[in-house]
């Protein structure tokens, strides 16, 4: 066992910002990176007299996540208020779903490093609003930007089924991918779109009660989560071995030292005074509504991988790569739908397109490449219109948004496969090189290479090598 | 020009404006003059906006369109209704000088109708109180006797109308705050059905109980104003989409055959015998007008006050947490730390009654108290709703006193919060059940008005108005004028 | 029910509500709140064991807004009303680390 005689228990509460058009309770835009407070109105500022109206899109996004995590969607939901004072929390209460969460009793199958699959139960998930953002000046003041305030979040609460830092890491990775494929969020950690609150306790094997819990809030990298948990496992075990009593506290992960630092010891439990939100109407979710949301739910990464391997005959490794992001998988699906050979399309996306993205640091959707153009290029290669060598130039062009066939024609990249054009050239070259014909007949295959070289020169490299070869052999035999 | 609102109702004013016997500017100027003449005595207005009102009146006169029944007619707004650019404090120090950046939906609606707001009316701080003595700014007096309270929390709105300063005002009612001051001042005040009028822009006290409504001198005036402010608002998830009828349509149809219930509990403990007698003779009048009147029981009435004060204070404690000194309004100048900003701002900015209710509500919701207080109160609320439902299976209206007493003396009850809370016993159940309720003058006891309360089925304000109109036609108590009327 | 409220409870509730009272006020509030709680205790007479709570009387269900963004462009007016602002941000005394969210 990794930690001597102690069993580790980890619970994760993961918050994911959902990329709706508007906020959960006000029509202000949800948009990252705008000037401070640009996306705020009187509702976001909790002006006297304002009222919230809940966003249907946010609720449906939450339903998508619930479905993707195999949770039961509650038929009746009432919003609740969670009361606490904080500068980034203008109403001094957060609108959330405490008593009637959107989804309950879900699970996520997590592939562990040893190849085993572990089912992690999801206790519940609910939709709530995000807080604003505080920055701390070195002038003794803090500064509040409410742009993020009210962005819809889905909070996913796991059961304490995770027993090691690696399992927690694998769970988070898997959860991120599942969420990515619901299309509700890009779940970018560096932009805070996915954040984890981590609980960890240890207890001697066989103990009935859980150990004293330590909480770490808003950890925003999977590696930090793992490092923090590794440190906590050791720290807590050492303390217990030394006969110390652990205290329930909030700690913070410190990356430079890869350790955790105590922030606040909880003497009394927080008292958030939850109660039902009287300003919002309750919500009834019918099976029809769930079915409608399910119909719009994108296929999961696992479903897609299976389809790629079984139906499109793609290598399993390639299928993994293609399903790393929803954008890539969607792009691939659309390219195949547009008539591209699945294998060749996959090779281009995994190879050249990924290399391009790495070089330019762009997201696929930020480029000018379209599935239609990629499919167009693949088709030109497949039907022999262009050579794979010519395709390199066409690829550059389609990355700039050009239509492949038009580009190839305009730039003389089209292969000449027409025997009516090629035959006179063959006759001409053979007539000019009687020695080569003699050599060929004498069994010297080298002569063929020479003749082809002459012909390619004549065609300025545009002759389709396959067709040309066939034509040449046919003519040679007749001489 | 002088103008006396005791001589004219809204329909009359509307005709005069249509016929060009009167201009909006003349009427607005006369109104401002009236306020100047009497407000020293009644202290109803926290602030007037004469220049803006006159400007608006001029624009209306130039446009010449008085087709809307409220066009060109002045009015006043309780100071918890958000008015863009006009100081709105909720009569609290914590919002001293605060200028909202948006208009409440009711304000937008009245503006669209061409109504002219002449100012903001005094109230108990954040509508918490029944005497308007909890205003952080001034003490409004009763229109009939300036040593008495006007009632509350819409005391400014009620007194301004009763004293003839303006023909109508808007108030808000969470546990009786329109009906009780209307009763104390002898005018008509309606709390509409919960969801009938948008709350967007009403400074929230208790979200599940608050409702905006009109205070007027006559029943028809009241119906006309409700016509203008009722209706679904997409900004308020609790406003109801059902169609809004013309509330004047059934006025004058009489009450022959109407089935009226009188809860025996409304005449039990704490009611002044003279008030009870006056209300009973009013009910007798309804019988004479052709209604059938039966005594019924609303057995959970006596638990209403406790359930109400728990629910109201709980919601209010949460609603008032936004007053934290961070984004708008008052921030304590002594605040050095963030904790100071919260604690000093709120401790210096709120008055005692507001603090008391915040404390009660915070306690009722706190861990360990929630089930015994908040949840229990919500369960009792269900029983109160069911009491009403049972009676409304057989009756069209419930009738009783609005308040157990007439207006009491300034300063008499302010130091006894429990007694003050019990005084709301007859209006509170109506808010808990979300029903429409109206108070109309039912005569006088020792020179002070007594209110008759008419309670209707949800969204059936029309029946209330129909009965109230019949009563008004028969009694014409509204024709009696307070001494302050001599000022104009 | 028999819930009572002590002076310490009152002080605790005050801290939750971000209010501060001097000693005399704390005593006065304790007395008044105790008095009001005796009123609340009448509720314990009512058997509510089989009664669903009513949190709202709105008949509305599923009053939801379509997910359409609309910027009301109120930023300048809002910032102008804030007690202190700097560089389009709301300024507050330092949030001390550990006062966690």
């Amino acid at each position: 066992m990794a930690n001597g005689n102690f069993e580790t228990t980890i619970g994760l509460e993961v918050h994911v910002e959902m990329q709706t058009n508007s906020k959960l309770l006000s029509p202000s835009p949800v948009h990252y990176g705008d000037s401070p407070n640009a996306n705020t109105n009187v509702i976001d500022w909790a002006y006297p007299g304002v009222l919230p109206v809940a966003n249907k899109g946010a609720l449906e996004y939450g339903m998508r996540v619930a479905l993707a995590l195999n949770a039961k969607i509650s038929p009746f939901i009432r919003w609740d208020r969670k009361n606490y004072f904080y500068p980034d929390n203008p109403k001094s209460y957060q609108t959330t779903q405490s008593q009637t969460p959107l989804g309950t009793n879900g699970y996520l199958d997590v592939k562990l490093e040893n190849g085993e699959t572990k089912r992690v139960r999801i206790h519940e998930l609910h939709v709530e609003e995000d807080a604003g953002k505080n920055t701390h000046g070195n002038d003794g003041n803090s500064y509040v930007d409410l742009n993020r305030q009210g962005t819809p979040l889905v909070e996913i609460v796991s059961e304490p089924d995770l027993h090691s830092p690696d399992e927690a890491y694998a769970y988070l990775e898997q959860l991120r991918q599942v969420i990515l494929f619901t299309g509700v969020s890009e779940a970018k950690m560096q932009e805070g779109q996915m954040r984890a609150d981590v609980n960890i306790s240890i207890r001697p094997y066989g103990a009935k009660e859980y150990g004293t819990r330590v909480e770490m809030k808003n950890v925003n990298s999977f590696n930090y989560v793992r490092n923090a948990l590794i440190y906590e496992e050791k720290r807590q075990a050492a303390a217990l071995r030394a006969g110390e009593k652990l205290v329930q506290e909030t700690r913070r992960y410190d990356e430079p030292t890869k350790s955790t630092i105590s922030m606040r010891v909880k003497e009394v439990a927080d008292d958030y005074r939850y109660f039902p939100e009287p300003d919002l109407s309750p919500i009834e979710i019918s099976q029809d509504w769930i079915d409608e949301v399910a119909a719009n739910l994108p296929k999961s990464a696992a479903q897609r991988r299976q389809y790629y391997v079984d139906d499109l005959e793609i290598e399993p490794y390639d299928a993994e790569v293609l399903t790393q992001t929803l954008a890539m998988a969607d792009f691939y699906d659309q390219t195949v739908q547009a008539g591209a050979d699945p294998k060749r399309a996959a090779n281009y996306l995994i190879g050249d397109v990924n290399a391009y993205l790495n070089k330019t640091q762009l997201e696929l959707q930020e480029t000018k490449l379209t599935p239609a153009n990629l499919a167009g290029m693949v088709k030109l290669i497949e039907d022999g219109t262009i050579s794979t060598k010519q395709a390199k130039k066409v690829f550059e062009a389609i990355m700039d948004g050009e239509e492949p066939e038009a580009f190839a024609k305009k730039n003389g990249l089209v292969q000449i496969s027409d025997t009516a054009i090629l035959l006179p050239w063959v006759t001409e070259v053979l007539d000019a090189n009687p020695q080569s014909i003699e050599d060929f007949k004498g069994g010297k295959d080298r002569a063929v290479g020479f003749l082809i070289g002459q012909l390619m020169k004549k065609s300025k490299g545009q002759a389709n090598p396959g067709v040309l070869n066939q034509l040449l052999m046919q003519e040679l035999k007749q001489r | 020009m002088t103008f006396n609102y005791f001589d004219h109702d809204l329909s009359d004013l509307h005709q005069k404006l249509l016929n060009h016997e009167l201009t909006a500017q003349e009427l607005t100027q006369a109104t401002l003059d009236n306020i100047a003449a009497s407000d020293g005595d009644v202290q109803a207005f926290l602030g007037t906006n004469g220049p803006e009102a006159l400007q608006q009146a001029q624009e209306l006169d130039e446009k010449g369109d008085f087709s809307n029944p409220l066009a060109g007619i002045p009015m006043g707004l309780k100071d918890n209704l958000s008015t863009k650019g006009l100081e709105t404090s909720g009569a609290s120090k914590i919002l001293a000088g605060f200028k909202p950046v948006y208009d409440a939906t009711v304000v937008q609606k009245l503006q669209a109708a061409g109504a002219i707001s002449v100012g903001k009316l005094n109230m108990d701080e954040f509508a918490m109180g029944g005497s308007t003595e909890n205003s952080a700014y001034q003490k409004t007096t009763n229109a009939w006797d300036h040593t008495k309270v006007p009632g509350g929390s819409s005391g400014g709105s009620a007194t301004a109308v009763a004293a003839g300063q303006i023909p109508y005002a808007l108030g808000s009612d969470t546990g009786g705050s329109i009906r009780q001051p209307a009763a104390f001042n002898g005018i008509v005040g309606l709390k509409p059905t919960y969801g009938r009028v948008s709350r967007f822009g009403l400074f929230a006290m208790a979200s599940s109980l608050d409702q905006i409504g009109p205070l007027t001198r006559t029943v028809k005036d009241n119906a006309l104003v409700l016509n203008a402010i009722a209706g679904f608002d997409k900004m308020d998830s609790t406003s109801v989409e059902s169609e809004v009828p013309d509330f004047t349509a059934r006025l004058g149809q009489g009450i022959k055959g109407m089935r009226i219930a009188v809860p025996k509990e409304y005449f039990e403990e704490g009611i002044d015998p003279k008030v009870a007698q006056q209300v009973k003779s009013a009910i007798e009048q309804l019988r004479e007008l052709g209604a059938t009147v039966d005594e019924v029981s609303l057995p959970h009435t006596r638990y209403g006050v406790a359930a109400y004060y728990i629910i109201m204070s709980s919601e209010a404690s949460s609603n008032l947490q936004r007053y934290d000194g961070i984004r708008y309004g008052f921030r304590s100048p002594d605040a050095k730390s963030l904790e100071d900003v919260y604690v000093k701002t709120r401790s210096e900015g709120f008055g005692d009654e507001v603090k008391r209710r915040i404390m009660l509500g915070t306690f009722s919701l706190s861990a360990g108290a929630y089930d015994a207080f908040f949840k229990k109160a919500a369960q009792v609320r269900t029983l109160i709703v069911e009491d009403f439902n049972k009676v409304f299976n057989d009756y069209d209206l419930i009738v009783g006193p609005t308040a157990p007493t007439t207006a009491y003396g300034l300063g008499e009850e302010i130091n006894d919060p429990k007694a003050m809370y019990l005084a709301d016993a007859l209006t509170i159940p109506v808010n808990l059940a979300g029903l429409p309720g109206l108070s109309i003058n039912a005569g006088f006891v020792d020179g002070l008005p007594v209110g008759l309360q008419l309670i209707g089925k949800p969204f059936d304000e029309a029946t209330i108005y129909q009965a109230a109109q019949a009563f008004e036609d028969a009694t014409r108590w509204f024709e009696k004028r307070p001494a302050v009327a001599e000022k104009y | 029910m028999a819930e009572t409220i002590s002076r310490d409870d009152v002080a605790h509730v005050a801290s939750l509500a971000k209010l501060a009272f001097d000693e005399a006020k704390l005593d006065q509030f304790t007395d008044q709140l105790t008095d009001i709680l005796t009123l609340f205790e009448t509720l314990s007479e009512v058997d509510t064991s089989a009664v669903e709570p009513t949190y709202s009387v709105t008949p509305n269900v599923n009053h939801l807004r379509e997910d359409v963004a609309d910027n009301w462009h109120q930023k300048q007016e809002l910032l102008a009303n804030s007690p202190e602002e700097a560089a389009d941000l709301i300024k507050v005394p330092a949030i001390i680390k550990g006062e966690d969210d």
Side-chain angles (χ1 to χ4, degrees):
Chain A
M1 286 295 140
N3 205 21
N5 299 322
F6 295 107
E7 182 193 36
T8 302
T9 304
I10 297 165
L12 293 168
E13 290 173 19
V14 177
H15 292 88
V16 181
E17 281 183 3
M18 299 194 285
Q19 280 148 325
T20 47
N21 299 313
S22 61
K23 293 184 178 181
L24 181 61
L25 303 171
S26 100
S28 290
V30 169
H31 194 261
Y32 182 80
D34 289 332
S35 71
N37 292 306
N39 300 328
T40 63
N41 65 19
V42 285
I43 300 173
D44 309 316
W45 282 56
Y47 256 51
V50 296
L51 294 171
V53 181
N55 179 348
K56 186 179 179 193
L59 199 74
E60 290 185 341
Y61 271 16
M63 286 161 72
R64 282 192 189 193
V65 175
L67 289 168
L69 293 173
N70 313 293
K72 183 184 179 306
I73 293 179
S74 312
F76 178 82
I77 294 164
R78 210 175 7 238
W79 303 88
D80 294 295
R81 292 185 182 183
K82 176 185 181 180
N83 295 284
Y84 66 94
F85 289 88
Y86 213 64
D88 61 15
N89 178 28
K91 301 189 298 286
S92 301
Y93 57 81
Q94 179 195 29
T95 305
T96 181
Q97 296 165 346
S98 152
Q99 293 184 23
T100 50
L102 175 61
T104 52
N105 292 322
Y107 64 84
L108 180 65
D109 286 330
V110 181
K111 211 169 160 190
L112 302 176
E113 253 173 61
N114 62 11
E116 282 174 28
T117 297
K118 180 182 180 121
R119 177 160 290 189
V120 178
R121 293 168 303 153
I122 308 292
H123 177 69
E124 61 119 310
L125 61 101
H126 61 260
V127 174
E128 61 183 21
E129 56 177 338
D130 204 351
K133 220 175 165 76
N134 306 316
T135 47
H136 310 289
N138 42 22
D139 58 349
N141 292 299
S142 293
Y143 298 87
V144 187
D145 174 8
L146 295 176
N147 275 349
R148 196 180 68 179
Q149 202 281 325
T151 299
L153 296 175
V154 59
E155 178 176 337
I156 301 140
V157 183
S158 75
E159 296 284 0
D161 289 349
L162 300 161
H163 297 294
S164 75
D166 284 342
E167 283 185 14
Y169 185 89
Y171 168 80
L172 288 170
E173 286 263 278
Q174 179 66 32
L175 182 62
R176 180 171 186 269
Q177 195 182 50
V178 165
I179 286 173
L180 220 51
F181 274 75
T182 62
V184 311
S185 177
E186 286 171 50
K188 289 182 194 161
M189 303 293 289
Q190 68 275 19
E191 288 180 16
Q193 290 172 347
M194 184 169 175
R195 314 187 284 268
D197 291 352
V198 186
N199 291 309
I200 174 171
S201 66
I202 65 169
R203 60 177 166 182
Y205 276 100
K208 281 212 178 68
E209 302 288 317
Y210 287 118
T212 303
R213 227 166 57 151
V214 161
E215 187 175 25
M216 286 168 283
K217 288 197 162 183
N218 282 333
V219 189
N220 63 357
S221 129
F222 296 164
N223 275 319
Y224 291 3
V225 169
R226 177 155 56 187
N227 292 345
L229 289 171
I230 290 170
Y231 180 85
E232 271 303 303
E233 262 189 337
K234 284 191 188 134
R235 183 187 71 81
Q236 294 184 18
L240 290 183
R241 280 194 206 99
E244 289 166 26
K245 207 167 180 285
L246 290 166
V247 287
Q248 191 169 335
E249 61 183 334
T250 304
R251 297 178 75 89
R252 173 174 69 82
Y253 176 65
D254 183 58
E255 167 60 11
T257 58
K258 300 209 165 17
S259 65
T260 67
I261 297 164
S262 181
M263 302 274 289
R264 188 171 70 126
V265 176
K266 278 191 183 170
E267 281 149 1
V268 280
D270 290 314
D271 193 344
Y272 291 119
R273 290 161 284 130
Y274 287 96
F275 75 101
E277 162 61 282
D279 282 329
L280 289 167
S281 84
I283 296 159
E284 287 172 7
I285 301 180
S286 64
Q287 190 57 47
D288 282 354
W289 192 4
I290 296 173
D291 292 346
E292 195 187 307
V293 171
N296 291 321
L297 183 68
K299 283 203 165 51
S300 74
Q303 284 170 320
R304 289 185 206 228
R305 278 195 296 268
Q306 193 174 4
Y307 169 70
Y308 296 167
V309 173
D310 293 355
D311 294 47
L312 303 181
E313 297 176 350
I314 300 298
E315 292 301 317
Y317 173 80
D318 291 353
E320 282 288 341
V321 179
L322 287 172
T323 54
Q324 240 146 38
T325 67
L326 176 64
M328 180 64 87
D330 275 349
F331 198 98
Y332 176 65
D333 289 349
Q334 286 160 22
T335 307
V336 172
Q337 253 169 34
D341 173 67
K343 279 188 194 170
R344 209 183 278 274
N347 287 341
Y348 266 103
L349 281 169
I350 293 164
D352 296 24
V353 173
N354 262 341
Y356 177 90
L357 298 178
N358 282 334
K359 198 179 76 188
T360 55
Q361 285 296 301
L362 289 173
E363 301 283 343
L364 184 52
Q365 57 272 33
E366 290 165 355
T367 70
K368 290 180 183 161
L369 183 66
T370 65
N373 285 348
L374 180 58
M377 185 185 77
V378 168
K379 276 190 276 186
L380 291 177
I381 298 167
E382 288 289 319
D383 68 15
T385 309
I386 57 170
S387 66
T388 48
K389 199 173 146 213
Q390 286 169 325
K392 287 201 172 12
K393 280 190 181 152
V394 177
F395 179 77
E396 282 172 27
I398 61 174
M399 291 312 296
D400 286 335
E402 301 252 8
E403 202 281 313
E405 196 168 357
F407 174 83
K409 275 193 183 138
K410 195 171 66 192
N411 291 279
L413 292 174
V414 174
Q415 288 193 124
I416 298 165
S417 307
D418 187 346
T419 47
I421 299 168
L422 294 176
L423 192 58
W425 289 346
V426 173
T427 311
E428 240 176 85
V429 167
L430 286 178
D431 288 352
N433 294 284
Q435 186 57 45
S436 295
I437 302 173
E438 287 305 309
D439 290 351
F440 173 75
K441 297 209 159 150
K444 289 180 184 167
D445 286 350
R446 204 161 38 96
V448 176
F450 172 76
L451 290 168
I452 292 280
Q454 293 299 303
L455 281 162
M456 287 309 279
K457 216 176 199 175
K458 212 171 191 64
S459 75
K460 299 195 178 82
Q462 290 184 342
N464 181 327
V467 178
L468 194 62
N469 203 47
Q470 206 184 357
L471 209 55
L472 179 66
M473 296 311 283
Q474 178 191 309
E475 287 301 302
L476 271 172
K477 279 172 193 159
Q478 283 175 12
R479 294 268 170 159
Chain B
M1 167 189 170
T2 59
F3 196 86
N4 198 327
Y5 283 118
F6 290 100
D7 299 330
H8 309 277
D9 66 7
L10 287 177
S11 312
D12 194 12
L13 295 168
H14 176 54
Q15 273 310 316
K16 286 191 159 50
L17 285 159
L18 273 179
N19 301 341
H20 306 290
E21 289 169 52
L22 188 64
T23 67
Q25 288 170 88
E26 287 167 347
L27 190 56
T28 303
Q29 187 57 57
T31 304
L32 293 166
D33 293 346
N34 287 357
I35 294 168
S38 57
D39 212 49
D41 292 332
V42 294
Q43 305 262 322
F45 279 86
L46 282 173
T48 53
N49 46 283
E52 292 88 348
L54 287 165
Q55 168 78 29
Q56 198 195 336
Q58 189 187 338
E59 283 163 17
L60 272 167
D61 284 333
E62 280 162 10
K63 228 173 82 192
D65 178 9
F66 293 98
S67 55
N68 192 294
L70 300 180
I73 301 174
M75 53 91 185
L77 299 165
K78 188 173 179 178
D79 201 40
N80 57 359
L81 295 168
S82 192
T83 47
K84 185 172 179 167
L86 282 182
E87 280 188 23
T88 311
S89 70
S92 180
K93 268 208 293 205
I94 212 161
L95 287 177
F98 171 68
K99 287 184 179 170
V101 304
Y102 77 102
D103 280 320
T105 297
V106 289
V107 173
Q108 286 176 33
K109 285 192 166 207
L110 287 177
Q111 258 164 14
I116 296 172
S117 165
V118 293
K120 304 303 284 283
L121 292 155
N122 197 24
M123 56 187 279
D124 286 299
E125 180 179 0
F126 287 119
M128 296 183 176
S131 67
T132 310
E133 293 167 288
N134 292 323
S135 166
Y137 298 102
Q138 65 199 38
K139 301 232 187 303
T140 299
T141 67
N142 192 292
W144 296 85
D145 178 344
H146 304 328
T147 68
K148 305 285 187 197
V149 300
S153 65
S154 311
S157 300
T159 290
V161 172
Q165 294 180 319
I166 43 176
Y168 71 95
L170 293 190
S172 67
D173 189 317
T174 307
S177 279
I178 288 173
R179 289 159 291 157
Q180 183 256 28
F184 280 12
N185 279 286
I187 58 169
V188 181
L190 175 88
K191 181 204 89 77
T193 312
Y194 185 77
R196 178 62 99 185
V197 178
S198 167
R199 293 183 292 119
F200 191 75
L202 168 65
F203 293 9
M205 169 154 81
S207 308
S208 80
L209 302 162
D210 294 343
Q211 195 62 192
I212 299 166
L215 294 101
T216 56
R217 225 158 40 79
T218 68
V219 173
K220 187 178 178 196
D221 284 2
N222 208 283
L224 283 168
V225 179
L226 185 62
N227 275 350
I229 62 171
F232 173 68
D233 177 12
K234 64 179 168 45
M235 303 305 293
D236 178 357
S237 310
T238 65
S239 72
V240 171
E241 277 179 71
S242 67
E243 198 151 325
V244 180
D246 175 0
F247 293 107
T248 64
R250 278 158 51 193
L251 300 181
Q253 290 188 3
I255 57 169
K256 210 158 245 131
M258 203 178 267
R259 298 163 304 169
I260 291 177
V262 178
K264 64 176 195 293
E265 291 82 3
Y266 283 23
F267 292 89
E268 283 170 0
E269 52 189 307
I271 189 158
D272 179 319
K274 287 184 187 167
V275 168
Q277 195 44 53
Q278 191 67 29
V279 170
K280 279 177 181 160
S281 56
I283 292 168
E284 198 45 45
Q285 190 98 38
L286 293 171
R287 197 199 303 271
E288 281 164 22
L289 290 168
T292 63
V293 178
D294 295 319
E295 186 180 86
V296 296
S297 174
L298 295 169
H300 294 92
T301 300
R302 61 183 300 250
Y303 304 108
V305 173
Y308 168 81
Y309 271 88
I310 292 168
I311 291 166
M312 174 274 295
S313 65
S314 296
E315 292 182 13
S317 72
S318 177
N319 283 333
L320 268 63
Q321 284 174 166
R322 69 190 56 202
Y323 305 110
D324 58 7
I326 289 180
R327 295 166 314 285
Y328 48 76
F330 171 73
R331 180 188 286 187
S332 170
D334 303 331
K336 300 280 187 290
S337 68
L338 179 62
E339 187 66 9
D340 279 356
V341 170
Y342 289 128
V343 176
K344 291 197 164 150
T345 297
R346 288 166 61 81
S347 298
E348 293 164 23
F350 289 136
D352 271 0
E353 181 57 25
V354 173
K355 287 179 188 167
R356 190 154 35 240
R357 295 195 194 193
I358 289 174
M359 293 290 289
L360 265 179
T362 305
F363 171 74
S364 299
L365 291 172
S366 65
Y370 182 91
D371 284 349
F373 290 89
F374 185 75
K375 191 178 170 201
K376 180 85 183 180
Q379 289 171 312
V380 171
R381 184 177 189 178
T382 303
L383 298 174
I384 288 170
V385 172
E386 287 171 358
D387 279 358
F388 278 116
N389 286 345
K390 272 178 216 148
V391 171
F392 279 126
N393 281 336
D394 301 319
Y395 295 91
D396 303 306
L397 277 181
I398 293 171
V399 166
T402 306
T405 66
T406 55
Y408 44 85
L410 284 158
E412 256 176 38
E413 287 194 15
I414 190 75
N415 293 318
D416 187 354
K418 192 175 156 189
M420 198 92 145
Y421 295 175
L422 286 166
D424 299 335
L426 304 173
T427 45
I428 275 170
V430 176
N431 297 78
L432 288 172
L435 303 171
L438 174 142
S439 182
I440 184 169
N441 191 5
F444 293 80
V445 164
D446 302 330
L448 290 168
V450 170
L452 174 72
Q453 182 175 216
L454 296 85
I455 302 162
K457 294 176 188 173
F459 302 100
D460 192 17
E461 289 87 354
T463 298
I464 296 180
Y465 281 137
Q466 186 185 343
Q469 175 74 53
F471 180 75
E472 183 181 89
D473 286 344
T475 57
R476 303 196 73 77
W477 290 112
F478 71 95
E479 287 176 348
K480 200 165 158 128
R481 302 180 184 197
V484 68
E486 304 305 315
K487 300 242 174 196
Y488 319 123
Chain C
M1 187 146 64
E3 300 277 346
T4 55
I5 192 161
S6 68
R7 200 167 179 279
D8 283 352
D9 291 336
V10 174
H12 171 66
V13 171
S15 77
L16 283 177
K18 302 282 186 204
L19 291 171
F21 301 112
D22 62 27
E23 298 297 311
K25 260 284 182 291
L26 202 56
D27 286 335
Q28 192 198 338
F29 265 88
T30 306
D31 290 347
Q32 286 180 342
L33 294 180
T34 303
D35 196 25
I36 294 162
L37 289 185
T38 61
L39 171 70
F40 288 1
E41 274 184 22
T42 57
L43 293 187
S44 60
E45 297 165 14
V46 188
D47 178 8
T48 53
S49 49
V51 180
E52 282 297 312
T54 298
Y55 297 116
S56 169
V57 292
T58 180
N60 291 0
V61 174
N62 293 2
H63 262 243
L64 297 163
R65 179 174 52 79
E66 292 301 320
D67 181 23
V68 179
D70 184 9
N71 194 328
W72 294 350
H73 300 291
Q74 291 172 316
K75 168 177 167 167
Q76 294 311 332
E77 291 167 285
L78 292 166
L79 285 165
N81 258 350
S82 67
E84 268 196 280
E85 60 108 3
D88 290 355
L89 294 155
I90 306 160
K91 189 173 169 184
V92 295
I95 299 167
I96 299 156
K97 284 198 172 164
E99 291 178 338
D100 77 40
D101 38 351

